[in-house]
Amino acid sequence: MSLSAGDGVIGGALTISGGGGGSGAGGDVTVEAGSAAAGNGGALYLRGGTSASGTGGDVVIDAGDSTTLASTYEGVVHIAPNAASFVRIGESANKQVQTDIFGDVTVHGDLVTTSSLVYETTYSSYVNISTTQDGMFQQEVRSPKITGLDTEDATSPTSTLTIDAGTGGSQQHLILAPTTATAVYIGSATTTVPISLRQGAASSDVRFNADASGAVGITAASGQDVTVTTAGAGNIV
């Protein structure tokens, strides 16, 4: 069955609407493709009109408004609420579309991003942000600042920032400023904070310590020497 408005200088408009309600609800409108006993169900296409020399027609999907002007009475747009197991925007490898979301976004589940433009069930290069807010990056992370959690991030946060090597791999080293950095600063530029370098869990394993007052202590392990040397003709002052 084909249902269309008349042609003309300006094409005719076509409106399909349910019946109006008085004290009850208005009538529903269902547009559904054909079902099948053995074959596949029919596809349902909603698309704007094409144009030979102008802009193609938009497709607008929206919920009903309320004359109360109260947001609590506005309808909700549901996408894939019942049967769909997959939602796709754009087409893998062929049609990538810019998608803008104006407003807050809540993801109930893991969020995975990848630079691959071809759909796969798993990706070799990706960023995974899980529901526990853990982040896994397989390449470089660029950021002007990294801090611990704030009070708005968790009810009772531990704001300590821990940097460590991974639990696997052939080399578990923590390397700071290996290539590009021209200076390394540890500590505050505005206040005196303790700085400690240790090799174990015991308090006696602290090798270098600068306390909050600025006192400095250097301690070698039991039976080991403390050696201070200079290169070339330098002096120890």
Side-chain angles (χ1 to χ4, degrees):
M1 183 181 73
S2 176
L3 180 64
S4 63
D7 296 332
V9 176
I10 299 177
L14 176 64
T15 300
I16 302 175
S17 62
S23 59
D28 295 334
V29 174
T30 301
V31 179
E32 183 175 345
S35 59
N40 296 326
L44 176 63
Y45 296 92
L46 297 175
R47 61 187 177 194
T50 60
S51 172
S53 58
T55 302
D58 295 335
V59 174
V60 179
I61 301 176
D62 202 352
D65 204 351
S66 172
T67 56
T68 63
L69 301 181
S71 61
T72 54
Y73 287 94
E74 293 172 348
V76 177
V77 176
H78 298 266
I79 299 176
N82 296 316
S85 58
F86 191 89
V87 175
R88 173 178 292 167
I89 299 175
E91 182 60 30
S92 174
N94 296 322
K95 179 63 175 177
Q96 292 82 45
V97 294
Q98 178 177 326
T99 303
D100 295 323
I101 299 176
F102 300 94
D104 297 337
V105 177
T106 300
V107 177
H108 302 272
D110 292 352
L111 175 62
V112 178
T113 66
T114 178
S115 58
S116 174
L117 298 180
V118 179
Y119 171 76
E120 302 173 38
T121 54
T122 59
Y123 299 93
S124 58
S125 178
Y126 61 92
V127 174
N128 181 14
I129 302 175
S130 73
T131 54
T132 55
Q133 298 182 14
D134 293 333
M136 191 281 293
F137 303 86
Q138 294 182 318
Q139 298 292 331
E140 220 173 47
V141 177
R142 299 183 182 182
S143 174
K145 189 176 183 180
I146 300 176
T147 64
L149 293 176
D150 293 331
T151 53
E152 63 265 26
D153 301 321
T155 304
S156 300
T158 299
S159 296
T160 298
L161 178 64
T162 302
I163 301 176
D164 203 350
T167 56
S170 59
Q171 187 181 78
Q172 294 171 292
H173 298 168
L174 184 62
I175 303 174
L176 300 178
T179 307
T180 308
T182 58
V184 176
Y185 299 100
I186 300 176
S188 173
T190 59
T191 184
T192 305
V193 297
I195 299 174
S196 179
L197 300 178
R198 65 193 309 161
Q199 287 185 310
S203 58
S204 59
D205 294 327
V206 176
R207 302 294 170 240
F208 174 88
N209 180 71
D211 64 18
S213 300
V216 176
I218 299 176
T219 305
S222 178
Q224 301 299 315
D225 297 331
V226 174
T227 303
V228 179
T229 61
T230 64
N235 297 322
I236 298 176
V237 180

